[in-house]
């Protein structure tokens, strides 16, 4: 399986005031923290080597996860004195695998899902894409940004929330060729959808694909989302 980066450095401002005390991935979720549940899913899917990026209240994550051995994975950390964003963070984290040129897995640390990873990785390799994003139908275009694609599942445009046409919603799980981040300056904040991927869609059409899934997806973004996710988790 692929080297994996779990994005856990964010400030979690939408979940204030909880995130004044713990990082969002460290919020309690029915007896476990969110990040523990994410790592347990990755371990079930065969992932063994994970890097978590850190910035906000890092001890609230490291004190729970440690070296990952209790969860059946090897965990290392990438410290960001300044938050580097969804592209800058992975660029720095991937240096912990020197010489990596092939694909890696990047997962948001503030969402719960059980996307099957083996077919996602296989689809990425078969398509020749440089980025493959797991998506579900965007049922709340008023709340979530959207992704437009062609008949071959190639991304044609990223659109802001408020659109009215059919789009897809990214669930925070993706396979990315490491060289996608080569053009970024180390230690400089950068974004994926709002930067690197948007530019790829324009300059290298067909290089960014989606892979549609039917897996459940819980966004732990706002207090209402958090409560709904806790209740769902407690009932499983």
């Amino acid at each position: 399986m692929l080297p994996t980066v779990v994005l856990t450095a964010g400030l979690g401002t939408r979940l204030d005031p909880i995130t004044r005390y713990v990082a969002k991935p460290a919020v309690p979720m029915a007896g476990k923290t969110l990040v523990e549940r994410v790592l347990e899913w990755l371990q079930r899917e065969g992932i063994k080597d994970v890097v978590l990026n850190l910035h906000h209240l890092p001890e609230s994550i490291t004190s729970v996860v440690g070296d990952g051995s209790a969860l059946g994975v090897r965990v290392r950390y990438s410290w960001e004195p300044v938050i580097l964003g969804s592209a800058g963070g992975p660029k720095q984290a991937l240096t912990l695998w020197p010489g990596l040129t092939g694909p890696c897995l990047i997962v948001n640390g503030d969402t719960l899902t059980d996307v099957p990873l083996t077919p996602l990785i296989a689809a990425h390799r078969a398509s020749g894409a440089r980025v493959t994003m797991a998506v579900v139908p965007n049922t709340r275009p008023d709340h979530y940004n959207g992704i437009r694609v062609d008949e071959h599942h190639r991304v044609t445009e990223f659109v802001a929330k408020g659109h009215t046409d059919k789009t897809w919603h990214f669930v925070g799980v993706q396979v990315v060729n490491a060289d996608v981040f080569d053009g970024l300056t180390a230690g400089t904040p950068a974004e994926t959808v709002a930067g690197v991927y948007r530019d790829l869609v324009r300059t290298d059409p067909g290089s960014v694909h989606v892979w549609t899934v039917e897996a459940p997806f819980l966004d732990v973004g706002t207090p209402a989302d958090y409560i709904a996710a806790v209740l769902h988790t407690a009932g499983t």
Side-chain angles (χ1 to χ4, degrees):
M1 295 297 283
L2 303 182
T4 299
V5 177
V6 179
L7 302 176
T8 56
L11 297 175
T13 53
R14 291 186 300 156
L15 206 55
D16 184 78
I18 299 172
T19 47
R20 298 180 193 180
Y21 305 98
V22 295
K24 188 195 291 188
V27 298
M29 301 283 294
K32 299 178 182 178
T33 61
L34 174 56
V35 69
E36 286 176 288
R37 293 188 177 276
V38 171
L39 292 173
E40 286 175 343
W41 157 64
L42 290 172
Q43 191 275 335
R44 291 194 302 269
E45 289 294 316
I47 298 298
K48 300 298 183 185
D49 195 5
V50 181
V51 169
L52 276 59
N53 66 335
L54 299 175
H55 175 78
H56 178 60
L57 299 175
E59 68 284 353
S60 65
I61 295 174
T62 58
S63 64
V64 171
V65 174
D67 65 2
S69 57
L71 299 166
V73 292
R74 177 199 187 198
V75 171
R76 294 174 289 168
Y77 299 98
S78 174
W79 168 246
E80 299 178 13
V82 175
I83 293 180
L84 296 177
S86 57
K91 178 180 176 63
Q92 174 172 290
L94 290 174
T95 62
L96 293 176
W97 290 280
L100 178 67
T101 58
C104 63
L105 183 71
I106 301 176
V107 174
N108 288 0
D110 61 354
T111 56
L112 281 177
T113 186
D114 59 0
V115 170
L117 297 180
T118 296
L120 169 62
I121 294 166
H124 176 81
R125 287 177 163 146
S127 71
R130 300 180 69 190
V131 177
T132 303
M133 309 169 72
V135 298
V136 296
N138 190 352
T139 59
R140 298 184 62 190
D142 60 321
H143 185 69
Y144 292 119
N145 297 332
I147 303 174
R148 294 189 178 120
V149 305
D150 65 16
E151 65 274 17
H152 301 293
H153 288 184
R154 298 176 298 202
V155 175
T156 59
E157 189 178 8
F158 297 103
V159 295
K161 62 183 179 181
H163 57 281
T164 57
D165 58 321
K166 176 184 176 181
T167 61
W168 298 92
H169 175 58
F170 175 48
V171 300
V173 181
Q174 57 185 315
V175 181
V176 184
N177 291 355
D179 64 2
V180 162
F181 305 114
D182 283 355
L184 301 179
T185 301
T188 300
E191 300 299 325
T192 50
V193 170
V196 176
Y197 297 175
R198 177 198 59 204
D199 294 342
L200 277 177
V201 168
R202 184 181 70 252
T203 62
D204 189 9
S207 60
V208 183
H209 285 217
V210 299
W211 186 72
T212 61
V213 298
E214 296 181 355
F217 162 70
L218 297 171
D219 176 22
V220 187
T222 66
D225 293 333
Y226 172 56
I227 292 170
V230 170
L231 292 174
H232 175 87
T233 303
T236 59

